[in-house]
Amino acid sequence: MTIEVETMRKRAEFLRAARGRRQGTAGMLVQAIRRDEDGPVRVGFTCSKKVGNAVARNRAKRRLREVARLLLPDHGRAGWDYVLIGSKDRTADRPFEDLKGDLLYALKKLHK
């Protein structure tokens, strides 16, 4: 079953997700929290300056966005917020198939 995915943009949404569950993987950190209402999956992306310069941060976020676009409609849960956080020297350089596996692993652990 495919679920609609929306992008989070407000700082308050990111802070709320930070109070939820966390699962680290080799390529990223995933934070997740269940909202009170049902509805679409919401996802946000962030990379701190620790990831590198603007070019490195943008590349890492582009890769996270693509992984989320491919996997969250089928594997995310309706009514949940997810934040994908890039890791220094790992998100931008990790093979794409491994990044997909990282997100699947994190979702499985978060919803256990």
Side-chain angles (χ1 to χ4, degrees), residues 68-108:
R69 184 189 71 79
L70 292 173
L71 298 178
L72 283 181
D74 296 324
H75 299 283
R77 291 202 181 163
W80 281 73
D81 289 346
Y82 302 97
V83 175
L84 279 58
I85 302 171
S87 300
K88 179 181 168 109
D89 297 330
R90 292 184 290 188
T91 305
D93 298 330
R94 189 157 172 79
F96 192 71
E97 290 301 316
D98 292 347
L99 270 182
K100 287 169 57 176
D102 290 344
L103 182 56
L104 287 173
Y105 170 80
L107 291 173
K108 187 172 115 181

Side-chain angles (χ1 to χ4, degrees), residues 40-52:
V41 171
R42 295 191 312 188
V43 63
F45 309 93
T46 186
C47 291
S48 72
K49 287 190 175 183
K50 291 179 186 177
V51 172

Side-chain angles (χ1 to χ4, degrees), residues 54-81:
V55 173
R57 290 193 308 271
N58 286 333
R59 181 166 194 260
K61 282 192 280 189
R62 275 195 313 271
R63 291 170 58 92
L64 291 175
R65 277 194 294 270
E66 183 63 13
V67 167
R69 184 189 71 79
L70 292 173
L71 298 178
L72 283 181
D74 296 324
H75 299 283
R77 291 202 181 163
W80 281 73
D81 289 346

